[in-house]
Amino acid sequence: MSVLSKFQEALVCLQAGRVTLPYPAQAQPVPAKFRGRPIFDAAKCIGCAGCANNCPAREILVFDVCQEVRILKYLGRRCTYCGRCADVCPEKAIIMSHEFENATDAIADIQQQIELFMSTCQRCGRCFKEPSPLEQLKLKGYRMDDLGNERWIYRSKAFLDEEQTVDDVNIELD
Amino acid sequence: MFARDKLNLLKAKFSSAILRADLPADNRLYVFVEPRAIKPVCQHLFRDLDARYVISIGADDRPYSGQFLVAHNFAFDRDHLLCSVLTHLPADNPRLDSIAGVVTAANWAEREFRDLVGIEPVGHPYPKRLVLPDGWPDGAHPLRKDFAWNQVPEGFDDEREFAFDEPPEGCMVVPFGPFHPTLDEPAHFRLYVEGEMVRGCEYRGFMVHRGIEKLAESVLTYNEIPMMAERICGICGCVHNVAYAQAVESAATIGVPPRAEYLRTIMLEIERLHSHLLWVGLACHIVGFDTLFMQSWRIREPIMWIAEKISGNRKTYALCLIGGVRHDITPELKAELRSILDKLEAEWTPVVTAVLKDKNLQARTRGVGVADKTACKNTGLVGPVARAAGVDIDCRRDHPYAAYDRVDFDVITADGGDVWSRVVVRAKEVFESIRIIRQCLEKMEAGPMQAVIKDELPVGRLGLSSVEAPRGESHHFVITGENNRPRRWRVRAPTYQNLQGVPAMIKDQQLADMTISLGSIDPCFSCTDRLETVDLRTKAVKVWTPEELVKMVRAKTT
């Protein structure tokens, strides 16, 4: 019976015909829901840092230059395009684009940085409306990630205790 | 009732040693015993009550209870019960009787907690380093709570070499992997070969142990971990994503809305379809039958596209959050998925018909890499490897989760125990997956996709979850914790147990059968080691160090 099965297998191949796509000469359109490179919209962003607090890859950093100016930086290196930042953004300032050809030898092509003017409610840390207690902000007040070295500074404790609040006040005085 | 029955059986025999027992549900049993009783209790469960060994977990519980914690997990598959035997060990002297002597399958797990948590399994038959890299200093245990997640231990020695065992008398050593033309992922087997016959081997793996359990319990939060859990595996990521979410839900008693359960089931089965079709292709590729490799991958492709349409990505679906799912299936997608399943069924049927009669393929795979029922029991083999040996286990039926209790399907078994039987089991399971998805699409009701979570999750609760991955049972164990993250999260991928069965499978067979025997468990590991070159003219052997390789690569690119 083996000969017959070989014929059957050959038939499977012949019926299939040519299936190779002409990529990269011509790219297939991606589905509407495709999660590509996230794009940050500075006009919509309110600087709540909800995305930074819920990024599993820790690829979004926040740094407060002073009371009024907050910098948000997207590093784009380990980003897995899970789309959680876009999910939790209360202002829908992040969209998961349809860009997937993101290979580059200059990481700056991928990175985004937005500078935000922050008005007064910055210290309450509650402008981010979390979907559930599992997403709530773990750091209130000032955020001091290391933008220069693209390092995320996160305390091993998730919630600020008394001592750390004092440290934050010191930063303000500086 | 089964949980209580088993507890009564244990109480009758070990009443004085049982300190506490929790029965949070009828399918979960947590028994806390005294350390001295751990070995007899496990032996009783494994041998007399015929439980299946799942995994052992070591945890540093000192910040909370002042003690170390060890759990041995067992499954009663016919009774739909997952059972955990736990014991606390003193902080100053974490030693425990090894159970690997009576439960062979616990060999790796005990060596793992010895490496990572520093709990000494006393009397372990082969107490050799398993997980930690070669240069890691003795006495540094990264999963202890006083060891920071980003800490590099003092005394890390790049030069230190791993001490491999001496091969038995009359045997040559043939290194297999980490780079091998037919092995897509890295693992290193030192095969002891006598002529053409393999007489034994030593395994050195865990080359890309990334410490994500540590990351989860010190850096990430509950809802971030699912996205990382998914990256444990590039083929069955969704399985880990769901298993983690279910373990936390089971610990925190969060009910998942029915629609989310159906969506989880559908995505898991889509993943199984893609994985099985991929595996059949790869297995054929390994034995040199590239025609079928191409065809089964072609048939698989529409599955990838529909997954992308539903979830936004071909493979990493990023599906679950605690208490629900993120992606819905719209009526249009439903119709499209149905037509893709019809096409898949129509295309896969002739392939299976042809393959099942293919004498060449059978000649290459029959009687190869045999693992019988006893081997399955002793080494805790799971999934298609066990089912191919006639061991009728499947978590989808035995420990129903998501919506599997509401769909009808058959568990495919075979009785050869060899590679051929595994081909048959996987080829036929494709049809069962199609059946399951069709039923889910039929029965799925409208409703919310996410449970409402109003409070922070309770602390110190235990959760277990078993999910049937394409390659076997994937088991997750969670202890909930403070600061919005678990205290301990232990992942046991199916390959963890199945790899331990490989030495028995390849023993006393031809060297050439090694690749397909290993390939037949659908192994899932990844990484890099050193490279050895032989100058053919001078016969000089040079071992390249990682530094030299890095230097060579950089010299070429600049």
Side-chain angles (χ1 to χ4, degrees):
Chain A
M1 278 292 122
S2 197
V3 179
L4 185 61
S5 78
K6 289 289 165 212
F7 276 120
Q8 284 173 336
E9 284 155 11
L11 194 65
V12 168
C13 298
L14 289 171
Q15 280 174 342
R18 186 191 161 91
V19 291
T20 313
L21 299 174
Y23 187 79
Q26 192 193 337
Q28 284 263 96
V30 294
K33 235 194 133 174
F34 183 77
R35 285 178 275 126
R37 182 167 77 94
I39 308 280
F40 293 72
D41 187 342
K44 287 186 185 166
C45 179
I46 56 167
C48 71
C51 53
N53 271 309
N54 284 288
C55 173
R58 302 292 184 219
E59 283 293 85
I60 303 168
L61 306 181
V62 174
F63 185 87
D64 287 336
V65 178
C66 61
Q67 173 86 33
E68 283 83 24
V69 181
R70 168 170 278 190
I71 300 177
L72 189 141
K73 188 170 184 182
Y74 166 72
L75 301 178
R77 296 170 306 191
R78 291 190 307 263
C79 178
T80 59
Y81 303 159
C82 68
R84 282 289 286 158
C85 51
D87 277 3
V88 297
C89 180
E91 296 298 311
K92 301 289 159 239
I94 307 171
I95 52 158
M96 300 306 283
S97 72
H98 287 179
E99 292 175 30
F100 59 92
E101 292 170 316
N102 294 327
T104 175
D105 51 8
I107 191 67
D109 297 348
I110 306 279
Q111 284 181 339
Q112 294 165 68
Q113 182 164 325
I114 49 183
E115 289 172 26
L116 299 159
F117 175 76
M118 301 293 288
S119 49
T120 44
C121 124
Q122 181 176 352
R123 286 207 57 96
C124 80
R126 291 193 183 89
C127 34
F128 169 52
K129 183 143 177 12
E130 67 271 13
S132 81
L134 303 182
E135 283 96 3
Q136 64 192 301
L137 282 178
K138 283 124 216 157
L139 290 175
K140 291 175 181 170
Y142 289 92
R143 298 176 56 92
M144 289 292 160
D145 288 337
D146 187 353
L147 295 191
N149 293 313
E150 298 187 342
R151 237 181 14 196
W152 161 73
I153 298 179
Y154 198 80
R155 295 159 180 94
S156 53
K157 288 175 200 148
F159 296 89
L160 278 183
D161 55 25
E162 286 296 314
E163 215 172 296
Q164 282 166 325
T165 319
V166 175
D167 280 354
D168 274 22
V169 174
N170 288 343
I171 293 165
E172 184 186 13
L173 293 175
D174 287 339
Chain B
M1 292 313 288
F2 289 112
R4 190 156 292 282
D5 290 349
K6 301 292 175 202
L7 179 61
N8 288 339
L9 284 173
L10 284 178
K11 271 185 176 165
K13 207 165 155 53
F14 304 101
S15 58
S16 61
I18 294 177
L19 302 172
R20 196 182 108 197
D22 292 351
L23 294 92
D26 197 37
N27 52 8
R28 295 286 185 276
L29 170 64
Y30 303 95
V31 189
F32 289 80
V33 301
E34 285 183 10
R36 63 177 168 80
I38 198 89
K39 192 172 173 182
V41 168
C42 289
Q43 182 167 8
H44 183 62
L45 283 172
F46 187 68
R47 290 293 168 200
D48 306 334
L49 302 182
D50 200 27
R52 180 170 58 82
Y53 173 78
V54 180
I55 193 61
S56 304
I57 300 114
D60 181 1
D61 211 35
R62 288 175 299 169
Y64 322 106
S65 67
Q67 290 168 305
F68 283 96
L69 179 76
V70 168
H72 293 296
N73 290 4
F74 291 88
F76 292 94
D77 294 312
R78 279 184 306 279
D79 301 335
H80 314 297
L81 173 67
L82 291 173
C83 162
S84 190
V85 182
L86 302 106
T87 190
H88 280 102
L89 302 172
D92 52 346
N93 185 22
R95 292 162 69 81
L96 180 73
D97 282 340
S98 163
I99 64 162
V102 287
V103 185
T104 327
N107 188 318
W108 279 20
E110 289 196 327
R111 285 160 68 188
E112 178 168 333
F113 68 58
R114 178 175 176 267
D115 277 12
L116 298 181
V117 197
I119 297 170
E120 187 66 34
V122 180
H124 191 285
Y126 191 68
K128 207 170 175 179
R129 177 171 287 194
L130 179 75
V131 179
L132 293 176
D134 303 350
W136 195 273
D138 297 321
H141 304 292
L143 269 188
R144 290 197 173 180
K145 291 288 179 191
D146 49 11
F147 196 99
W149 65 278
N150 53 357
Q151 183 179 337
V152 177
E154 236 166 87
F156 188 90
D157 179 11
D158 254 347
E159 305 291 312
R160 186 165 142 187
E161 301 224 350
F162 189 75
F164 285 103
D165 295 347
E166 282 299 311
E169 190 88 11
C171 284
M172 291 278 293
V173 169
V174 174
F176 181 90
F179 300 109
H180 192 276
T182 53
L183 187 62
D184 317 294
E185 291 181 77
H188 180 62
F189 284 88
R190 269 165 67 90
L191 302 175
Y192 307 142
V193 180
E194 190 182 5
E196 273 295 303
M197 306 302 275
V198 178
R199 296 297 182 209
C201 71
E202 183 178 356
Y203 175 75
R204 177 74 176 138
F206 294 87
M207 294 158 190
V208 277
H209 186 80
R210 303 291 298 273
I212 66 164
E213 289 171 359
K214 182 72 183 178
L215 209 56
E217 63 187 46
S218 53
V219 173
L220 299 178
T221 60
Y222 279 122
N223 262 348
E224 287 169 341
I225 298 172
M227 312 309 149
M228 193 183 58
E230 183 155 48
R231 263 128 192 116
I232 291 171
C233 180
I235 304 289
C236 56
C238 188
V239 164
H240 292 291
N241 179 290
V242 175
Y244 161 78
Q246 287 183 171
V248 175
E249 285 153 9
S250 133
T253 53
I254 296 168
V256 181
R259 188 175 178 85
E261 293 189 320
Y262 278 109
L263 287 165
R264 284 181 182 179
T265 312
I266 292 172
M267 291 317 282
L268 286 172
E269 289 308 317
I270 284 181
E271 190 170 67
R272 189 180 323 277
L273 283 175
H274 111 76
S275 177
H276 276 6
L277 294 171
L278 174 132
W279 180 83
V280 170
L282 275 183
C284 290
H285 175 63
I286 291 175
V287 298
F289 186 15
D290 272 358
T291 313
L292 195 56
F293 162 54
M294 300 285 180
Q295 293 309 319
S296 75
W297 281 43
R298 172 183 63 77
I299 294 169
R300 163 181 176 263
E301 191 59 22
I303 289 291
M304 309 307 283
W305 289 340
I306 189 72
E308 190 180 31
K309 281 187 183 166
I310 295 170
S311 74
N313 202 305
R314 281 167 68 88
K315 184 62 231 22
T316 41
Y317 311 144
L319 180 70
C320 287
L321 294 175
I322 307 299
V325 295
R326 297 172 62 203
H327 310 300
D328 198 6
I329 296 184
T330 59
E332 298 84 58
L333 285 172
K334 233 179 184 177
E336 197 176 341
L337 180 54
R338 277 207 178 99
S339 72
I340 283 175
L341 292 177
D342 292 343
K343 186 151 176 281
L344 175 70
E345 195 175 26
E347 289 196 304
W348 191 239
T349 311
V351 171
V352 173
T353 321
V355 165
L356 289 186
K357 291 204 175 116
D358 192 322
K359 289 263 158 51
N360 303 53
L361 200 57
Q362 291 188 36
R364 189 70 184 75
T365 53
R366 258 191 206 276
V368 170
V370 178
D372 58 11
K373 275 189 178 175
T374 324
C376 292
K377 164 85 180 162
N378 284 338
T379 28
L381 305 185
V382 286
V385 181
R387 290 197 285 276
V391 182
D392 189 9
I393 51 168
D394 190 323
C395 294
R396 293 175 290 174
R397 182 201 56 198
D398 299 335
H399 308 286
Y401 51 92
Y404 284 107
D405 51 348
R406 279 152 273 173
V407 294
D408 181 36
F409 62 98
D410 294 325
V411 176
I412 309 285
T413 56
D415 46 19
D418 53 4
V419 177
W420 173 249
S421 303
R422 288 166 210 154
V423 175
V424 174
V425 165
R426 288 198 176 93
K428 288 184 178 167
E429 278 185 1
V430 168
F431 297 115
E432 295 305 316
S433 292
I434 296 175
R435 252 176 91 190
I436 292 172
I437 300 178
R438 281 186 180 143
Q439 292 175 55
C440 286
L441 290 176
E442 199 63 47
K443 292 183 178 170
M444 191 163 62
E445 54 215 272
M449 302 201 306
Q450 179 73 43
V452 181
I453 300 174
K454 292 208 179 99
D455 306 304
E456 285 171 29
L457 302 191
V459 169
R461 304 271 184 89
L462 302 168
L464 298 177
S465 158
S466 274
V467 168
E468 188 72 17
R471 40 186 65 66
E473 175 205 40
S474 180
H475 183 84
H476 285 224
F477 173 92
V478 162
I479 307 176
T480 58
E482 299 77 4
N483 297 341
N484 202 17
R485 63 172 65 102
R487 272 181 201 167
R488 180 79 169 99
W489 169 47
R490 173 69 159 93
V491 180
R492 198 225 55 191
T495 308
Y496 194 85
Q497 288 308 126
N498 285 347
L499 258 185
Q500 296 181 59
V502 167
M505 287 181 203
I506 59 171
K507 192 168 185 302
D508 297 329
Q509 50 166 36
Q510 301 261 335
L511 179 58
D513 289 335
M514 170 66 194
T515 43
I516 186 62
S517 300
L518 179 60
S520 72
I521 68 165
D522 203 358
C524 204
F525 31 45
S526 46
C527 195
T528 135
D529 203 327
R530 297 190 187 89
L531 177 71
E532 192 173 86
T533 54
V534 182
D535 188 324
L536 285 177
R537 277 164 302 166
T538 60
K539 300 269 190 293
V541 178
K542 174 168 172 50
V543 177
W544 295 78
T545 64
E547 295 74 40
E548 286 173 315
L549 285 174
V550 167
K551 214 167 140 189
M552 194 161 75
V553 171
R554 288 197 181 135
K556 271 203 181 137
T557 49
T558 49

